[in-house]
Amino acid sequence: MNHNGLCSKESFIEQLVYIDENIQELTSLYVSSTPVYERLKNFFHLYVMEVEDLIQSNRKNTIIPSLPKVYIGTRVTVAYEDEDDTEEFLICFPGQTDPDAGCISFLSPVGRQLLLKNRGDKVMLKIPTGELPVIIKDITFAAPSVKV
């Protein structure tokens, strides 16, 4: 596990504030970018609950020592199950995307499928050409702030 990306609870608190202040815009983006059959009724509520749990479980720490799940602001390394190849994605807010640098929105098709997955999880990524089996190999903190 890579510990280079140490993260503070403050970064996650900033996320919660940003989501709260921009919930209408984010919900609109979610609805417009997510096929009806993939939409979760409580998508943002589930994410907020997971972040609150992370903050609560680290209440005595200033720095969160390890990230068990993929959150916004994390770099996730996936290994392609049928190949000896890996790829990294930085999960970010919609205004921070840079596909050439591997920065993908948590509302993008791949971002949505990786969000809140655990290290070691096997995920069947749905892509335009079918499904791609991947394993979540590593999760590190990568984004210091929510500036969009």
Side-chain angles (χ1 to χ4, degrees):
M1 179 173 25
N2 182 350
H3 293 284
N4 293 341
L6 295 176
C7 67
S8 70
K9 289 188 295 191
E10 187 63 34
S11 298
F12 287 102
I13 293 168
E14 288 176 13
Q15 282 186 24
L16 295 178
V17 169
Y18 181 82
I19 290 170
D20 184 56
E21 291 175 351
N22 296 279
I23 192 65
Q24 288 182 327
E25 179 185 352
L26 291 170
T27 300
S28 178
L29 286 169
Y30 175 71
V31 169
S32 67
S33 66
T34 308
V36 175
Y37 62 90
E38 289 182 17
R39 289 184 198 154
L40 296 174
K41 182 179 178 184
N42 299 318
F43 179 79
F44 289 101
H45 180 71
L46 292 171
Y47 182 77
V48 166
M49 283 180 37
E50 289 288 343
V51 171
E52 287 173 343
D53 285 349
L54 177 70
I55 292 168
Q56 179 62 23
S57 66
N58 287 279
R59 67 185 171 280
K60 294 181 181 179
N61 304 326
T62 312
I63 301 296
I64 298 173
S66 68
L67 297 167
K69 296 179 185 259
V70 176
Y71 299 96
I72 299 166
T74 58
R75 183 173 309 280
V76 56
T77 304
V78 299
Y80 295 99
E81 202 169 72
D82 298 336
E83 305 170 23
D84 265 350
D85 198 14
T86 62
E87 190 167 0
E88 287 188 351
F89 298 101
L90 172 58
I91 308 299
C92 63
F93 282 100
Q96 299 171 318
T97 61
D98 182 355
D100 293 336
C103 299
I104 60 171
S105 168
F106 76 102
L107 296 176
S108 70
V110 172
R112 274 193 321 271
Q113 294 175 76
L114 295 175
L115 196 68
L116 299 179
K117 295 296 188 266
N118 295 297
R119 184 178 290 108
D121 279 358
K122 292 183 182 182
V123 180
M124 289 298 287
L125 287 181
K126 293 178 185 90
I127 57 172
T129 57
E131 291 187 335
L132 194 58
V134 299
I135 298 171
I136 309 269
K137 284 298 199 188
D138 198 19
I139 302 166
T140 56
F141 188 71
S145 72
V146 181
K147 295 177 182 140
V148 285

mmCIF file of all heavy atoms in Angstrom, residues 82-122:
data_model
loop_
_atom_site.group_PDB
_atom_site.id
_atom_site.type_symbol
_atom_site.label_atom_id
_atom_site.label_comp_id
_atom_site.label_asym_id
_atom_site.label_seq_id
_atom_site.Cartn_x
_atom_site.Cartn_y
_atom_site.Cartn_z
ATOM 1 N N ASP A 82 -7.741 -10.138 -17.062
ATOM 2 C CA ASP A 82 -7.294 -11.023 -18.138
ATOM 3 C C ASP A 82 -5.952 -10.611 -18.742
ATOM 4 O O ASP A 82 -5.504 -11.189 -19.720
ATOM 5 C CB ASP A 82 -8.357 -11.081 -19.236
ATOM 6 C CG ASP A 82 -9.670 -11.658 -18.731
ATOM 7 O OD1 ASP A 82 -9.634 -12.409 -17.728
ATOM 8 O OD2 ASP A 82 -10.724 -11.354 -19.310
ATOM 9 N N GLU A 83 -5.331 -9.588 -18.160
ATOM 10 C CA GLU A 83 -4.080 -9.073 -18.701
ATOM 11 C C GLU A 83 -3.106 -8.795 -17.555
ATOM 12 O O GLU A 83 -3.505 -8.743 -16.403
ATOM 13 C CB GLU A 83 -4.330 -7.768 -19.471
ATOM 14 C CG GLU A 83 -5.363 -7.883 -20.570
ATOM 15 C CD GLU A 83 -5.747 -6.516 -21.120
ATOM 16 O OE1 GLU A 83 -4.950 -5.572 -20.985
ATOM 17 O OE2 GLU A 83 -6.832 -6.411 -21.679
ATOM 18 N N ASP A 84 -1.859 -8.588 -17.884
ATOM 19 C CA ASP A 84 -0.863 -8.173 -16.882
ATOM 20 C C ASP A 84 -0.698 -6.662 -16.950
ATOM 21 O O ASP A 84 0.419 -6.152 -17.067
ATOM 22 C CB ASP A 84 0.490 -8.848 -17.180
ATOM 23 C CG ASP A 84 0.672 -10.113 -16.387
ATOM 24 O OD1 ASP A 84 -0.143 -10.375 -15.489
ATOM 25 O OD2 ASP A 84 1.645 -10.844 -16.668
ATOM 26 N N ASP A 85 -1.798 -5.952 -16.862
ATOM 27 C CA ASP A 85 -1.767 -4.517 -17.046
ATOM 28 C C ASP A 85 -2.577 -3.841 -15.948
ATOM 29 O O ASP A 85 -3.555 -4.396 -15.451
ATOM 30 C CB ASP A 85 -2.353 -4.161 -18.424
ATOM 31 C CG ASP A 85 -1.976 -2.773 -18.877
ATOM 32 O OD1 ASP A 85 -1.057 -2.169 -18.289
ATOM 33 O OD2 ASP A 85 -2.606 -2.270 -19.824
ATOM 34 N N THR A 86 -2.136 -2.642 -15.552
ATOM 35 C CA THR A 86 -2.882 -1.849 -14.580
ATOM 36 C C THR A 86 -3.146 -0.472 -15.167
ATOM 37 O O THR A 86 -2.496 -0.055 -16.133
ATOM 38 C CB THR A 86 -2.103 -1.689 -13.252
ATOM 39 O OG1 THR A 86 -0.891 -0.987 -13.503
ATOM 40 C CG2 THR A 86 -1.832 -3.025 -12.592
ATOM 41 N N GLU A 87 -4.084 0.212 -14.556
ATOM 42 C CA GLU A 87 -4.393 1.582 -14.949
ATOM 43 C C GLU A 87 -4.783 2.346 -13.704
ATOM 44 O O GLU A 87 -5.377 1.792 -12.783
ATOM 45 C CB GLU A 87 -5.529 1.601 -15.968
ATOM 46 C CG GLU A 87 -5.757 2.949 -16.600
ATOM 47 C CD GLU A 87 -6.663 2.890 -17.828
ATOM 48 O OE1 GLU A 87 -7.122 1.807 -18.199
ATOM 49 O OE2 GLU A 87 -6.890 3.959 -18.400
ATOM 50 N N GLU A 88 -4.437 3.632 -13.679
ATOM 51 C CA GLU A 88 -4.777 4.483 -12.545
ATOM 52 C C GLU A 88 -5.808 5.506 -12.967
ATOM 53 O O GLU A 88 -5.745 6.054 -14.072
ATOM 54 C CB GLU A 88 -3.544 5.221 -12.023
ATOM 55 C CG GLU A 88 -2.584 4.355 -11.272
ATOM 56 C CD GLU A 88 -1.478 5.164 -10.610
ATOM 57 O OE1 GLU A 88 -1.350 6.382 -10.861
ATOM 58 O OE2 GLU A 88 -0.723 4.574 -9.832
ATOM 59 N N PHE A 89 -6.744 5.763 -12.061
ATOM 60 C CA PHE A 89 -7.745 6.804 -12.260
ATOM 61 C C PHE A 89 -7.763 7.676 -11.014
ATOM 62 O O PHE A 89 -7.723 7.161 -9.896
ATOM 63 C CB PHE A 89 -9.142 6.204 -12.435
ATOM 64 C CG PHE A 89 -9.283 5.308 -13.625
ATOM 65 C CD1 PHE A 89 -9.260 3.932 -13.477
ATOM 66 C CD2 PHE A 89 -9.453 5.831 -14.898
ATOM 67 C CE1 PHE A 89 -9.399 3.090 -14.564
ATOM 68 C CE2 PHE A 89 -9.591 5.001 -15.998
ATOM 69 C CZ PHE A 89 -9.568 3.629 -15.833
ATOM 70 N N LEU A 90 -7.825 8.974 -11.214
ATOM 71 C CA LEU A 90 -8.039 9.908 -10.123
ATOM 72 C C LEU A 90 -9.520 10.280 -10.169
ATOM 73 O O LEU A 90 -9.992 10.815 -11.166
ATOM 74 C CB LEU A 90 -7.161 11.150 -10.267
ATOM 75 C CG LEU A 90 -7.424 12.299 -9.295
ATOM 76 C CD1 LEU A 90 -7.284 11.845 -7.853
ATOM 77 C CD2 LEU A 90 -6.500 13.460 -9.575
ATOM 78 N N ILE A 91 -10.243 9.959 -9.126
ATOM 79 C CA ILE A 91 -11.677 10.223 -9.080
ATOM 80 C C ILE A 91 -11.866 11.657 -8.578
ATOM 81 O O ILE A 91 -11.411 12.004 -7.487
ATOM 82 C CB ILE A 91 -12.403 9.223 -8.143
ATOM 83 C CG1 ILE A 91 -12.042 7.777 -8.499
ATOM 84 C CG2 ILE A 91 -13.910 9.463 -8.183
ATOM 85 C CD1 ILE A 91 -12.404 7.327 -9.894
ATOM 86 N N CYS A 92 -12.523 12.485 -9.386
ATOM 87 C CA CYS A 92 -12.623 13.903 -9.058
ATOM 88 C C CYS A 92 -14.048 14.425 -9.271
ATOM 89 O O CYS A 92 -14.929 13.699 -9.729
ATOM 90 C CB CYS A 92 -11.637 14.697 -9.902
ATOM 91 S SG CYS A 92 -11.961 14.619 -11.677
ATOM 92 N N PHE A 93 -14.242 15.689 -8.947
ATOM 93 C CA PHE A 93 -15.511 16.355 -9.210
ATOM 94 C C PHE A 93 -15.588 16.683 -10.698
ATOM 95 O O PHE A 93 -14.552 16.788 -11.377
ATOM 96 C CB PHE A 93 -15.640 17.622 -8.366
ATOM 97 C CG PHE A 93 -16.017 17.356 -6.939
ATOM 98 C CD1 PHE A 93 -15.062 17.358 -5.941
ATOM 99 C CD2 PHE A 93 -17.330 17.084 -6.598
ATOM 100 C CE1 PHE A 93 -15.407 17.099 -4.626
ATOM 101 C CE2 PHE A 93 -17.697 16.818 -5.285
ATOM 102 C CZ PHE A 93 -16.733 16.830 -4.298
ATOM 103 N N PRO A 94 -16.808 16.865 -11.245
ATOM 104 C CA PRO A 94 -16.962 17.102 -12.683
ATOM 105 C C PRO A 94 -16.119 18.254 -13.240
ATOM 106 O O PRO A 94 -15.559 18.133 -14.319
ATOM 107 C CB PRO A 94 -18.467 17.389 -12.831
ATOM 108 C CG PRO A 94 -19.088 16.629 -11.714
ATOM 109 C CD PRO A 94 -18.104 16.729 -10.571
ATOM 110 N N GLY A 95 -15.959 19.335 -12.506
ATOM 111 C CA GLY A 95 -15.188 20.479 -12.996
ATOM 112 C C GLY A 95 -13.681 20.282 -12.990
ATOM 113 O O GLY A 95 -12.935 21.143 -13.439
ATOM 114 N N GLN A 96 -13.205 19.146 -12.503
ATOM 115 C CA GLN A 96 -11.768 18.882 -12.387
ATOM 116 C C GLN A 96 -11.275 17.829 -13.369
ATOM 117 O O GLN A 96 -10.112 17.435 -13.304
ATOM 118 C CB GLN A 96 -11.448 18.397 -10.962
ATOM 119 C CG GLN A 96 -11.786 19.385 -9.880
ATOM 120 C CD GLN A 96 -11.651 18.783 -8.494
ATOM 121 O OE1 GLN A 96 -12.052 17.644 -8.254
ATOM 122 N NE2 GLN A 96 -11.096 19.546 -7.565
ATOM 123 N N THR A 97 -12.110 17.363 -14.256
ATOM 124 C CA THR A 97 -11.739 16.246 -15.125
ATOM 125 C C THR A 97 -10.619 16.610 -16.101
ATOM 126 O O THR A 97 -10.528 17.730 -16.581
ATOM 127 C CB THR A 97 -12.949 15.710 -15.921
ATOM 128 O OG1 THR A 97 -13.453 16.756 -16.741
ATOM 129 C CG2 THR A 97 -14.026 15.197 -15.013
ATOM 130 N N ASP A 98 -9.775 15.634 -16.344
ATOM 131 C CA ASP A 98 -8.707 15.720 -17.335
ATOM 132 C C ASP A 98 -8.395 14.286 -17.757
ATOM 133 O O ASP A 98 -7.489 13.648 -17.209
ATOM 134 C CB ASP A 98 -7.475 16.392 -16.731
ATOM 135 C CG ASP A 98 -6.345 16.548 -17.739
ATOM 136 O OD1 ASP A 98 -6.461 16.055 -18.891
ATOM 137 O OD2 ASP A 98 -5.313 17.150 -17.372
ATOM 138 N N PRO A 99 -9.183 13.750 -18.713
ATOM 139 C CA PRO A 99 -9.023 12.347 -19.101
ATOM 140 C C PRO A 99 -7.599 11.975 -19.520
ATOM 141 O O PRO A 99 -7.150 10.865 -19.240
ATOM 142 C CB PRO A 99 -10.003 12.182 -20.261
ATOM 143 C CG PRO A 99 -11.016 13.260 -20.059
ATOM 144 C CD PRO A 99 -10.264 14.410 -19.435
ATOM 145 N N ASP A 100 -6.878 12.904 -20.162
ATOM 146 C CA ASP A 100 -5.507 12.601 -20.582
ATOM 147 C C ASP A 100 -4.587 12.350 -19.387
ATOM 148 O O ASP A 100 -3.608 11.625 -19.486
ATOM 149 C CB ASP A 100 -4.937 13.734 -21.441
ATOM 150 C CG ASP A 100 -5.649 13.854 -22.779
ATOM 151 O OD1 ASP A 100 -6.227 12.836 -23.245
ATOM 152 O OD2 ASP A 100 -5.639 14.958 -23.354
ATOM 153 N N ALA A 101 -4.925 12.951 -18.241
ATOM 154 C CA ALA A 101 -4.131 12.769 -17.027
ATOM 155 C C ALA A 101 -4.741 11.703 -16.111
ATOM 156 O O ALA A 101 -4.274 11.504 -15.000
ATOM 157 C CB ALA A 101 -4.016 14.099 -16.281
ATOM 158 N N GLY A 102 -5.795 11.046 -16.589
ATOM 159 C CA GLY A 102 -6.433 9.997 -15.795
ATOM 160 C C GLY A 102 -7.415 10.511 -14.764
ATOM 161 O O GLY A 102 -7.861 9.757 -13.909
ATOM 162 N N CYS A 103 -7.748 11.810 -14.810
ATOM 163 C CA CYS A 103 -8.707 12.402 -13.867
ATOM 164 C C CYS A 103 -10.113 12.253 -14.429
ATOM 165 O O CYS A 103 -10.451 12.888 -15.435
ATOM 166 C CB CYS A 103 -8.421 13.873 -13.636
ATOM 167 S SG CYS A 103 -6.808 14.191 -12.930
ATOM 168 N N ILE A 104 -10.915 11.414 -13.772
ATOM 169 C CA ILE A 104 -12.267 11.177 -14.258
ATOM 170 C C ILE A 104 -13.284 11.570 -13.191
ATOM 171 O O ILE A 104 -13.045 11.414 -11.997
ATOM 172 C CB ILE A 104 -12.488 9.707 -14.682
ATOM 173 C CG1 ILE A 104 -12.272 8.745 -13.514
ATOM 174 C CG2 ILE A 104 -11.587 9.350 -15.862
ATOM 175 C CD1 ILE A 104 -12.686 7.314 -13.800
ATOM 176 N N SER A 105 -14.393 12.092 -13.632
ATOM 177 C CA SER A 105 -15.449 12.506 -12.731
ATOM 178 C C SER A 105 -16.057 11.303 -12.020
ATOM 179 O O SER A 105 -16.200 10.229 -12.615
ATOM 180 C CB SER A 105 -16.551 13.230 -13.515
ATOM 181 O OG SER A 105 -17.703 13.410 -12.717
ATOM 182 N N PHE A 106 -16.432 11.514 -10.772
ATOM 183 C CA PHE A 106 -17.133 10.450 -10.058
ATOM 184 C C PHE A 106 -18.506 10.194 -10.667
ATOM 185 O O PHE A 106 -19.136 9.184 -10.387
ATOM 186 C CB PHE A 106 -17.243 10.772 -8.556
ATOM 187 C CG PHE A 106 -18.281 11.813 -8.190
ATOM 188 C CD1 PHE A 106 -19.503 11.434 -7.667
ATOM 189 C CD2 PHE A 106 -18.014 13.166 -8.363
ATOM 190 C CE1 PHE A 106 -20.452 12.389 -7.321
ATOM 191 C CE2 PHE A 106 -18.949 14.123 -8.002
ATOM 192 C CZ PHE A 106 -20.178 13.736 -7.489
ATOM 193 N N LEU A 107 -18.969 11.089 -11.542
ATOM 194 C CA LEU A 107 -20.246 10.906 -12.226
ATOM 195 C C LEU A 107 -20.085 10.269 -13.603
ATOM 196 O O LEU A 107 -21.078 9.962 -14.260
ATOM 197 C CB LEU A 107 -20.967 12.253 -12.367
ATOM 198 C CG LEU A 107 -21.379 12.917 -11.052
ATOM 199 C CD1 LEU A 107 -21.995 14.285 -11.302
ATOM 200 C CD2 LEU A 107 -22.331 12.031 -10.272
ATOM 201 N N SER A 108 -18.848 10.063 -14.040
ATOM 202 C CA SER A 108 -18.623 9.411 -15.334
ATOM 203 C C SER A 108 -18.977 7.929 -15.210
ATOM 204 O O SER A 108 -19.036 7.392 -14.102
ATOM 205 C CB SER A 108 -17.158 9.563 -15.753
ATOM 206 O OG SER A 108 -16.331 8.771 -14.913
ATOM 207 N N PRO A 109 -19.206 7.250 -16.319
ATOM 208 C CA PRO A 109 -19.552 5.822 -16.239
ATOM 209 C C PRO A 109 -18.543 4.995 -15.435
ATOM 210 O O PRO A 109 -18.938 4.213 -14.564
ATOM 211 C CB PRO A 109 -19.609 5.385 -17.700
ATOM 212 C CG PRO A 109 -20.003 6.624 -18.435
ATOM 213 C CD PRO A 109 -19.298 7.746 -17.698
ATOM 214 N N VAL A 110 -17.255 5.178 -15.678
ATOM 215 C CA VAL A 110 -16.248 4.404 -14.940
ATOM 216 C C VAL A 110 -16.142 4.910 -13.504
ATOM 217 O O VAL A 110 -16.078 4.120 -12.562
ATOM 218 C CB VAL A 110 -14.877 4.439 -15.653
ATOM 219 C CG1 VAL A 110 -13.790 3.803 -14.786
ATOM 220 C CG2 VAL A 110 -14.960 3.724 -17.000
ATOM 221 N N GLY A 111 -16.161 6.219 -13.310
ATOM 222 C CA GLY A 111 -16.083 6.787 -11.971
ATOM 223 C C GLY A 111 -17.204 6.302 -11.064
ATOM 224 O O GLY A 111 -16.970 5.947 -9.908
ATOM 225 N N ARG A 112 -18.430 6.289 -11.585
ATOM 226 C CA ARG A 112 -19.582 5.804 -10.803
ATOM 227 C C ARG A 112 -19.405 4.355 -10.387
ATOM 228 O O ARG A 112 -19.783 3.965 -9.289
ATOM 229 C CB ARG A 112 -20.872 5.905 -11.630
ATOM 230 C CG ARG A 112 -21.572 7.204 -11.601
ATOM 231 C CD ARG A 112 -22.981 7.115 -12.170
ATOM 232 N NE ARG A 112 -23.130 6.265 -13.335
ATOM 233 C CZ ARG A 112 -22.984 6.637 -14.596
ATOM 234 N NH1 ARG A 112 -22.654 7.878 -14.879
ATOM 235 N NH2 ARG A 112 -23.162 5.788 -15.582
ATOM 236 N N GLN A 113 -18.839 3.551 -11.287
ATOM 237 C CA GLN A 113 -18.678 2.123 -10.997
ATOM 238 C C GLN A 113 -17.559 1.842 -9.996
ATOM 239 O O GLN A 113 -17.587 0.820 -9.309
ATOM 240 C CB GLN A 113 -18.417 1.355 -12.294
ATOM 241 C CG GLN A 113 -19.611 1.364 -13.239
ATOM 242 C CD GLN A 113 -19.273 0.701 -14.556
ATOM 243 O OE1 GLN A 113 -19.200 -0.522 -14.618
ATOM 244 N NE2 GLN A 113 -19.051 1.497 -15.591
ATOM 245 N N LEU A 114 -16.583 2.740 -9.912
ATOM 246 C CA LEU A 114 -15.470 2.550 -8.973
ATOM 247 C C LEU A 114 -15.746 3.163 -7.601
ATOM 248 O O LEU A 114 -15.227 2.689 -6.590
ATOM 249 C CB LEU A 114 -14.181 3.143 -9.545
ATOM 250 C CG LEU A 114 -13.631 2.472 -10.797
ATOM 251 C CD1 LEU A 114 -12.414 3.243 -11.320
ATOM 252 C CD2 LEU A 114 -13.282 1.022 -10.531
ATOM 253 N N LEU A 115 -16.570 4.205 -7.571
ATOM 254 C CA LEU A 115 -16.833 4.928 -6.331
ATOM 255 C C LEU A 115 -17.341 3.986 -5.244
ATOM 256 O O LEU A 115 -18.232 3.171 -5.467
ATOM 257 C CB LEU A 115 -17.858 6.038 -6.592
ATOM 258 C CG LEU A 115 -17.967 7.108 -5.510
ATOM 259 C CD1 LEU A 115 -16.687 7.951 -5.452
ATOM 260 C CD2 LEU A 115 -19.169 8.002 -5.765
ATOM 261 N N LEU A 116 -16.743 4.090 -4.074
ATOM 262 C CA LEU A 116 -17.086 3.329 -2.867
ATOM 263 C C LEU A 116 -16.768 1.835 -2.944
ATOM 264 O O LEU A 116 -17.159 1.066 -2.069
ATOM 265 C CB LEU A 116 -18.558 3.536 -2.466
ATOM 266 C CG LEU A 116 -18.933 4.986 -2.142
ATOM 267 C CD1 LEU A 116 -20.402 5.082 -1.784
ATOM 268 C CD2 LEU A 116 -18.064 5.562 -1.035
ATOM 269 N N LYS A 117 -16.012 1.438 -3.946
ATOM 270 C CA LYS A 117 -15.555 0.043 -3.995
ATOM 271 C C LYS A 117 -14.363 -0.085 -3.053
ATOM 272 O O LYS A 117 -13.642 0.864 -2.788
ATOM 273 C CB LYS A 117 -15.161 -0.364 -5.415
ATOM 274 C CG LYS A 117 -16.326 -0.359 -6.405
ATOM 275 C CD LYS A 117 -17.364 -1.378 -6.029
ATOM 276 C CE LYS A 117 -18.432 -1.521 -7.086
ATOM 277 N NZ LYS A 117 -19.603 -0.711 -6.880
ATOM 278 N N ASN A 118 -14.139 -1.297 -2.576
ATOM 279 C CA ASN A 118 -13.060 -1.579 -1.627
ATOM 280 C C ASN A 118 -11.815 -2.113 -2.334
ATOM 281 O O ASN A 118 -11.925 -2.741 -3.395
ATOM 282 C CB ASN A 118 -13.516 -2.645 -0.623
ATOM 283 C CG ASN A 118 -14.633 -2.159 0.250
ATOM 284 O OD1 ASN A 118 -14.478 -1.226 1.010
ATOM 285 N ND2 ASN A 118 -15.794 -2.785 0.119
ATOM 286 N N ARG A 119 -10.671 -1.902 -1.696
ATOM 287 C CA ARG A 119 -9.428 -2.511 -2.173
ATOM 288 C C ARG A 119 -9.650 -4.018 -2.222
ATOM 289 O O ARG A 119 -10.178 -4.614 -1.293
ATOM 290 C CB ARG A 119 -8.276 -2.174 -1.233
ATOM 291 C CG ARG A 119 -6.933 -2.682 -1.717
ATOM 292 C CD ARG A 119 -5.804 -2.292 -0.784
ATOM 293 N NE ARG A 119 -5.542 -0.855 -0.835
ATOM 294 C CZ ARG A 119 -5.851 -0.005 0.134
ATOM 295 N NH1 ARG A 119 -6.434 -0.418 1.242
ATOM 296 N NH2 ARG A 119 -5.577 1.272 0.021
ATOM 297 N N GLY A 120 -9.282 -4.641 -3.320
ATOM 298 C CA GLY A 120 -9.450 -6.080 -3.483
ATOM 299 C C GLY A 120 -10.740 -6.481 -4.174
ATOM 300 O O GLY A 120 -10.879 -7.625 -4.594
ATOM 301 N N ASP A 121 -11.684 -5.558 -4.290
ATOM 302 C CA ASP A 121 -12.947 -5.876 -4.967
ATOM 303 C C ASP A 121 -12.724 -6.201 -6.429
ATOM 304 O O ASP A 121 -11.895 -5.568 -7.104
ATOM 305 C CB ASP A 121 -13.937 -4.710 -4.889
ATOM 306 C CG ASP A 121 -14.688 -4.623 -3.579
ATOM 307 O OD1 ASP A 121 -14.485 -5.504 -2.714
ATOM 308 O OD2 ASP A 121 -15.476 -3.669 -3.424
ATOM 309 N N LYS A 122 -13.471 -7.171 -6.909
ATOM 310 C CA LYS A 122 -13.530 -7.456 -8.345
ATOM 311 C C LYS A 122 -14.735 -6.721 -8.892
ATOM 312 O O LYS A 122 -15.831 -6.826 -8.334
ATOM 313 C CB LYS A 122 -13.661 -8.948 -8.603
ATOM 314 C CG LYS A 122 -12.422 -9.714 -8.232
ATOM 315 C CD LYS A 122 -12.545 -11.173 -8.568
ATOM 316 C CE LYS A 122 -11.273 -11.899 -8.131
ATOM 317 N NZ LYS A 122 -11.302 -13.314 -8.465
#
